[in-house]
Amino acid sequence: MNKLYYLLVFLIILNFSYAIKIKKRIGIDNNINNIIIQPPIVRDVFISSENLKKSGDVTAVILGENFGIHKDKVEVVFGNTKVKILSVLPYLIKFQLPTNPVSSKVNVYVNGIKSTQHSRLEIVPIILDLSTDTLTSGGNLTIFGRFFKPEEYIIKIDNVKNGCILLEVSKNGDYIVCEVPPGTGGNKPLQIDNTLNFSNRTFSYAPPAITDIKYNHKYNNLILTGQSFGEPCKIILNLNRQEMECLYPVYDNISTIICLPEEDLSLLTPFSFSIEISVDNVKSLYYDQL
Ligand SMILES: *[C@@H]1O[C@H](CO)[C@@H](O)[C@H](O)[C@H]1NC(C)=O
Ligand SMILES: *[C@@H]1O[C@H](CO)[C@@H](O)[C@H](O)[C@H]1NC(C)=O
Ligand SMILES: *[C@@H]1O[C@H](CO)[C@@H](O)[C@H](O)[C@H]1NC(C)=O
Ligand SMILES: *[C@@H]1O[C@H](CO)[C@@H](O)[C@H](O)[C@H]1NC(C)=O
């Protein structure tokens, strides 16, 4: 009876140690597997143009190797920020860019193993849309896009530096507003800061128009307010077909022209007149009484 009992205990212990051995071997196998796994390699990172809209999240794409297929085993660090991963393939990871991103290194970790090579994602402003195709001098142009920073953008229209005067950069960097300078004609390319080539988007100015005229007795001049005055522009006062000399642009008030008539208009007032403005042979007429 005692002998049988010891045999039973012996068999149980044997069984137990065998189970431990098996467990150990699996553990060893796991380690071997970990050594066989190649560290991830990051070859390229870029902003995905699909789904790039005026608002909402922006997706970035990482191209490389050895990313596996398990989203929960992968970590992407953009600068110092762990980002949200959208999808994983062995050679491609999609992740969501954090808000207001700045150019940073991108590192990938798979099973905690860091990528042997990293890549840098350069964040440059992207233009997506414009509020208008028709320019109106003195009017606002809104440029919709992504990653606009609160800085002094130089916005060129028709290769004129500071052509469009920067008024506002939105807080989340998805639009900028500028004031359109005086100008005339069509096919004016828009370009920002030289970093963005927007040469395939062109504008046309609306025809010139006078919206108001005031006579300044003190200086004997006429102050014309309107749009698309441009340069050169010719102004004729139809009192006696007198052509006036005009001062423009008035830099802090680009929709205004000051005209200097040859004769003293104060001697004539009140008077009725018409004024003709022509810019690049586009004419506009205005009648008033002063
Ligand atoms: C132009 O934009 C500025 C800045 O966003 C704004 O203050 C102003 O009211 C706008 N003017 C017009 C005419 O829309
Ligand atoms: C803009 O694009 C045009 C046409 O593609 C090219 O000729 C020009 O060099 C580019 N300019 C800049 C500043 O990239
Ligand atoms: C301007 O460029 C965009 C993007 O490359 C293209 O989709 C569009 O057709 C171009 N427009 C013109 C007028 O060339
Ligand atoms: C532009 O100048 C005219 C004439 O001096 C003035 O009446 C008008 O208020 C000015 N407009 C702006 C936006 O400053």
Side-chain angles (χ1 to χ4, degrees):
M1 188 65 192
N2 250 355
K3 268 184 189 164
L4 203 65
Y5 174 76
Y6 282 124
L7 184 66
L8 202 69
V9 168
F10 177 74
L11 280 177
I12 287 170
I13 288 171
L14 191 72
N15 200 9
F16 194 62
S17 64
Y18 186 66
I20 286 172
K21 250 185 206 161
I22 288 178
K23 222 175 170 189
K24 266 191 181 158
R25 191 178 297 157
I26 292 172
I28 288 163
D29 284 348
N30 267 354
N31 283 343
I32 288 167
N33 275 344
N34 276 350
I35 290 160
I36 288 165
I37 287 175
Q38 297 293 316
I41 300 172
V42 175
R43 299 229 182 264
D44 199 10
V45 191
F46 53 89
I47 305 286
S48 167
S49 58
E50 56 169 5
N51 307 325
L52 196 60
K53 296 185 227 80
K54 280 196 222 169
S55 63
D57 298 324
V58 179
T59 303
V61 179
I62 304 171
L63 294 182
E65 286 165 41
N66 309 326
F67 298 149
I69 48 165
H70 301 293
K71 219 164 95 173
D72 53 340
K73 298 251 168 28
V74 176
E75 242 177 52
V76 173
V77 180
F78 174 63
N80 298 316
T81 315
K82 211 177 122 178
V83 295
K84 185 181 171 188
I85 293 173
L86 303 171
S87 65
V88 172
L89 288 172
Y91 58 93
L92 185 148
I93 298 170
K94 286 186 183 178
F95 69 94
Q96 189 179 309
L97 269 189
T99 43
N100 295 326
V102 290
S103 300
S104 304
K105 275 195 284 192
V106 176
N107 272 303
V108 173
Y109 294 79
V110 179
N111 285 315
I113 300 174
K114 192 177 173 178
S115 40
T116 52
Q117 217 172 311
H118 64 251
S119 209
R120 210 180 141 79
L121 179 60
E122 297 296 338
I123 303 292
V124 290
I126 298 170
I127 296 176
L128 293 173
D129 203 6
L130 301 164
S131 58
T132 178
D133 276 330
T134 308
L135 297 174
T136 306
S137 78
N140 279 359
L141 170 68
T142 305
I143 302 161
F144 300 101
R146 289 312 189 97
F147 316 131
F148 294 124
K149 291 190 202 79
E151 58 188 42
E152 286 301 307
Y153 284 103
I154 295 167
I155 306 161
K156 290 181 178 177
I157 291 180
D158 206 17
N159 297 322
V160 177
K161 201 176 174 184
N162 283 324
C164 204
I165 301 151
L166 185 71
L167 297 179
E168 188 194 346
V169 181
S170 76
K171 280 204 187 76
N172 56 2
D174 56 14
Y175 68 82
I176 53 186
V177 183
C178 65
E179 187 177 288
V180 176
T184 50
N187 299 319
K188 311 278 180 188
L190 175 83
Q191 202 184 323
I192 300 179
D193 253 358
N194 287 324
T195 56
L196 285 172
N197 197 338
F198 213 59
S199 55
N200 88 339
R201 188 70 178 253
T202 57
F203 295 85
S204 297
Y205 273 94
I210 299 166
T211 52
D212 190 37
I213 295 180
K214 291 215 163 42
Y215 176 58
N216 186 329
H217 287 265
K218 195 172 164 192
Y219 299 109
N220 186 41
N221 62 24
L222 289 171
I223 299 160
L224 276 57
T225 316
Q227 65 179 42
S228 302
F229 289 148
E231 210 171 346
C233 104
K234 190 164 136 187
I235 291 169
I236 296 167
L237 180 66
N238 281 314
L239 204 57
N240 46 15
R241 297 289 306 170
Q242 185 195 142
E243 213 170 286
M244 289 184 288
E245 192 194 329
C246 296
L247 303 178
Y248 56 88
V250 181
Y251 283 104
D252 56 346
N253 188 340
I254 58 170
S255 47
T256 306
I257 297 176
I258 296 173
C259 295
L260 311 170
E262 271 163 20
E263 51 191 289
D264 188 350
L265 295 183
S266 63
L267 302 173
L268 302 170
T269 51
F271 63 94
S272 294
F273 68 97
S274 76
I275 215 161
E276 184 183 303
I277 183 166
S278 65
V279 182
D280 285 353
N281 296 322
V282 183
K283 281 185 193 161
S284 167
L285 270 175
Y286 185 90
Y287 302 91
D288 207 347
Q289 185 173 40
L290 291 172

